[in-house]
Amino acid sequence: TIFMTKLIVANWKMYLTLSQSIALAKRISNFKFLISKLELVVCSSFVGLEKVGKVLNGTHIKLGAQDVWPEPRGAFTGEVGLDDLAELGVEYVLVGHSERRRYQGETDAVVNTKLRAVLAAGMQPILCVGEPKRELGSKNHEFRKAKNYVRNQLRKNLKDIPNSKFMIHNSPIIAYEPIWAIGTGRPATPEDASEMHGWIRKVIVEIYGGRASGQTEARPTRIPILYGGSVNSKNAAGFLNAPHIDGLLIGGASTKAEELKLILSAC
Ligand code: 13P
């Protein structure tokens, strides 16, 4: 592993009401954890951001959004803009989550636009990628189809985003979330996830090269890669100890205080 500090991102999706979100944020804000060991980001619903943000204010826990519209202001009925997120103190934004690709028909081109916008706004995008189907016999075939699928997504989503846009404080983060593992209780094995993470890093280097061209730029090889998909307190340690896994993106288990606490203590 190249990162000493694990990045743990809680994606609350649309699981919680506003009052439940506030209550959970209060419990989490009392967690004691070593900031040298982990960084925790909570992605509440848009509606929850302001009040959850207030609860987390003054703690080491960062605020994240689950999506964004890539324009600051304008005639975009029903959308939430980058300026709104900035005012609320949002530092991280999930981009291209498979549920948005699936239910909102978000294309790779839209994901690319959002990614640029979030980087330009100085926030950290968490780009979600992952193949739809579990590949049978993945061990034997080194899951070539899944790897090609993910490479294709990365190429399209990162298209024409120059390395120079990756500043040290806001380079993108990649989350590998195999769709078949999300919310199914059937996670990838840490070995397979780690293999895919190694592949993702290869693809990033293929796209950007291994070295940064300027001092203020983050190295593509230092982009954190998170695993997501049915992570819970029982399997978290396996992922956290796998060689290429820099952190976790957690859905369901992150909405239960005790589960999340146990996962954090595995860091
Ligand atoms: P689960 O942890 O509920 O499987 O969700 C994963 C996910 O999609 C996080 O973004």
Side-chain angles (χ1 to χ4, degrees):
T1 323
I2 53 171
F3 296 92
M4 296 306 288
T5 308
K6 298 292 183 184
L7 177 60
I8 307 296
V9 181
N11 176 11
W12 289 352
K13 308 195 180 188
M14 206 187 74
Y15 280 124
L16 306 169
T17 64
L18 175 57
S19 51
Q20 288 170 339
S21 301
I22 297 165
L24 181 58
K26 282 182 181 156
R27 290 195 63 187
I28 294 175
S29 67
N30 288 321
F31 287 176
K32 302 271 174 284
F33 59 84
L34 275 178
I35 51 163
S36 56
K37 282 201 151 180
L38 68 104
E39 172 145 319
L40 177 60
V41 178
V42 168
C43 301
S44 90
S45 69
F46 282 137
V47 170
L49 283 176
E50 181 170 12
K51 288 187 170 160
V52 167
K54 282 215 172 93
V55 173
L56 301 182
N57 201 7
T59 71
H60 291 291
I61 305 165
K62 305 280 168 63
L63 192 60
Q66 297 176 14
D67 186 37
V68 71
W69 188 254
E71 310 270 347
R73 306 273 91 230
F76 305 105
T77 303
E79 294 294 345
V80 175
L82 278 159
D83 279 2
D84 299 303
L85 301 189
E87 273 192 29
L88 292 167
V90 167
E91 293 179 66
Y92 294 80
V93 184
L94 299 181
V95 176
H97 192 281
S98 62
E99 285 150 17
R100 297 215 54 89
R101 295 180 194 255
R102 178 173 175 197
Y103 300 118
Q104 270 66 35
E106 263 187 34
T107 61
D108 288 314
V110 170
V111 172
N112 177 263
T113 306
K114 290 187 173 185
L115 208 49
R116 287 161 192 279
V118 174
L119 283 169
M123 296 174 206
Q124 285 200 271
I126 301 171
L127 169 63
C128 306
V129 295
E131 78 283 5
K133 285 203 185 113
R134 178 168 223 157
E135 224 171 284
L136 289 174
S138 59
K139 278 273 178 311
N140 302 335
H141 300 89
E142 293 186 324
F143 39 140
R144 202 176 313 134
K145 270 200 204 127
K147 283 180 172 174
N148 284 339
Y149 186 95
V150 168
R151 170 157 66 184
N152 201 26
Q153 263 186 333
L154 287 168
R155 281 184 176 158
K156 287 180 177 164
N157 296 168
L158 294 166
K159 190 174 189 307
D160 297 332
I161 299 179
N163 188 1
S164 59
K165 289 267 184 291
F166 298 4
M167 308 308 277
I168 278 162
H169 57 280
N170 78 328
S171 82
I173 293 158
I174 310 285
Y176 169 57
E177 297 207 308
I179 297 172
W180 50 265
I182 296 178
T184 58
R186 292 168 60 240
T189 63
E191 295 73 28
D192 283 354
S194 184
E195 162 119 11
M196 182 62 94
H197 285 211
W199 168 254
I200 289 172
R201 199 168 299 288
K202 253 191 218 158
V203 173
I204 301 274
V205 170
E206 187 182 283
I207 297 173
Y208 290 108
R211 279 175 297 125
S213 48
Q215 283 190 325
T216 54
E217 291 163 12
R219 282 188 207 150
T221 47
R222 299 215 25 110
I223 289 175
I225 306 174
L226 317 179
Y227 169 77
S230 295
V231 171
N232 59 33
S233 61
K234 297 203 168 63
N235 60 33
F239 292 110
L240 291 165
N241 292 326
H244 298 291
I245 301 181
D246 306 312
L248 302 169
L249 177 52
I250 313 163
S254 77
T255 64
K256 298 173 196 110
E258 285 313 309
E259 271 287 289
L260 186 59
K261 198 176 187 176
L262 288 169
I263 293 170
L264 298 182
S265 58
C267 286

